[in-house]
Amino acid sequence: MGRIAQAQSDLVGEPYGGVRSPVELNPAGPELGDAFGMQLSDSLRLQRPVVAYVERSDGLITPSGSAQWLGDEESWPPAVRKLLGKATGRVMDVGAGGGRHSAYLASRSCQVTVLDNSPLALEICRQRGIQDCVLGDIGKTADLFRDVEPFQRVLLLGNNVGLLGSAESGTEILRQLHEVTAEDALILAEGRRPVAVTEENHAYVTANRGRGRLPGELLMRIRYQTTATPWFPYLFCDPSELARIAQPAGWEISGVEDFRYPGSPPAAPLLSYTAVLRKSDVSADAQSSA
């Protein structure tokens, strides 16, 4: 047996001479669990950034560092800080993650409720002093909050426009947010445009268009060590696409501002943006007060 084959037999086992691997292969893949929350918890415990991986349904895998979910105010893009200046009153932080935006607003007298489907992320939010933490899915906001006082602001930051998932589900989610928010409510949103410049992304976008989907509709999951989240839909969309998703749900988009994240090359395309969504059926007085 050659050196390469022998090395493979030591790592894999049965196909090469019957030598068994010290760790059995798991044909079922990673264990399902709270991979995102585990990443954040480990980063805080170790006091350093740790890397998880985003796996797309076509097999593409990209690294995702923890710092972007835990960074303090100084690390946020100016456009995001500017948008947070519009937050007031009762605020729902959807997909709050480690609670960085919620903790910032709570320190400025906002009444913040965080919503996330990661139990470990919600525990981090509690440790940061945020008491109203709700475990749930963005697609269930009407059921979760129908009987509580309406919210004045909803945060979809950290590119959480992506949680809308698709054109169809996005309209339904925004319809539910319309139901549980005040007349003068604003959605403070951060989105990202789809990219099709690489061969893999171009093929994915082409397949989406062939199925009548938006170019930036994804199916993905987060993997950390040997754990992965369930697969979930995610959406990259430009502001005009977001406006078309929002209009049937009673929202209109304004105040779009393009930006780059700190550390991006100066010549990098402007993919990220912030936007404000307000109810399209609000009175002129309510609009001016917002």
Side-chain angles (χ1 to χ4, degrees):
M1 179 183 296
R3 286 180 296 173
I4 295 177
Q6 180 62 58
Q8 289 173 319
S9 73
D10 292 341
L11 290 173
V12 179
E14 298 298 336
Y16 297 97
V19 179
R20 297 189 62 81
S21 168
V23 178
E24 294 296 327
L25 296 177
N26 180 6
E31 179 182 1
L32 292 182
D34 187 5
F36 177 66
M38 292 170 62
Q39 178 195 17
L40 300 189
S41 296
D42 276 1
S43 180
L44 291 173
R45 177 176 59 84
L46 298 170
Q47 298 186 38
R48 61 173 175 81
V50 297
V51 176
Y53 293 87
V54 175
E55 180 181 5
R56 202 168 62 182
S57 56
D58 62 345
L60 182 69
I61 296 176
T62 55
S64 176
S66 59
Q68 62 185 316
W69 311 118
L70 297 170
D72 57 17
E73 178 186 357
E74 287 72 24
S75 68
W76 302 344
V80 172
R81 294 199 298 269
K82 176 182 175 182
L83 194 65
L84 279 169
K86 299 180 181 294
T88 186
R90 279 178 50 77
V91 178
M92 183 200 308
D93 187 358
V94 179
R100 62 200 188 281
H101 301 125
S102 292
Y104 172 85
L105 293 178
S107 70
R108 284 155 176 77
S109 302
C110 291
Q111 184 181 348
V112 183
T113 297
V114 300
L115 173 66
D116 208 291
N117 62 4
S118 163
L120 290 172
L122 290 181
E123 182 57 35
I124 294 170
C125 290
R126 293 187 187 98
Q127 292 169 7
R128 300 187 76 164
I130 304 163
Q131 299 303 315
D132 194 5
C133 298
V134 178
L135 180 66
D137 185 83
I138 188 175
K140 304 293 184 183
T141 52
D143 292 336
L144 291 168
F145 302 111
R146 182 176 285 116
D147 297 326
V148 304
E149 183 183 348
F151 293 94
Q152 277 79 45
R153 301 291 184 264
V154 175
L155 305 186
L156 289 176
L157 298 181
N159 193 31
N160 277 348
V161 165
L163 298 180
L164 299 179
S166 68
E168 182 178 0
S169 66
T171 297
E172 171 58 20
I173 288 167
L174 292 175
R175 184 196 65 76
Q176 292 191 38
L177 290 175
H178 194 287
E179 182 177 339
V180 300
T181 49
E183 180 185 14
D184 60 348
L186 301 178
I187 297 177
L188 309 179
E190 178 188 338
R192 187 172 172 86
R193 295 172 174 84
V195 180
V197 294
T198 67
E199 182 178 349
E200 296 87 353
N201 285 339
H202 180 74
Y204 205 95
V205 165
T206 300
N208 273 342
R209 287 177 170 145
R211 296 181 177 95
R213 300 171 181 166
L214 290 177
E217 291 186 26
L218 312 179
L219 185 64
M220 55 185 265
R221 64 180 178 180
I222 298 170
R223 298 180 64 157
Y224 180 66
Q225 297 181 348
T226 59
T227 302
T229 66
W231 293 95
F232 60 92
Y234 198 76
L235 178 65
F236 291 104
C237 66
D238 64 33
S240 64
E241 291 168 331
L242 178 58
R244 289 195 295 272
I245 293 169
Q247 189 276 329
W251 298 93
E252 59 186 20
I253 188 172
S254 64
V256 175
E257 182 174 346
D258 296 331
F259 71 93
R260 298 182 184 90
Y261 266 89
S264 300
L270 286 168
L271 298 177
S272 294
Y273 61 91
T274 57
V276 175
L277 278 70
R278 65 181 71 243
K279 292 186 174 181
S280 53
D281 52 356
V282 301
S283 66
D285 289 343
Q287 280 193 353
S288 62
S289 66

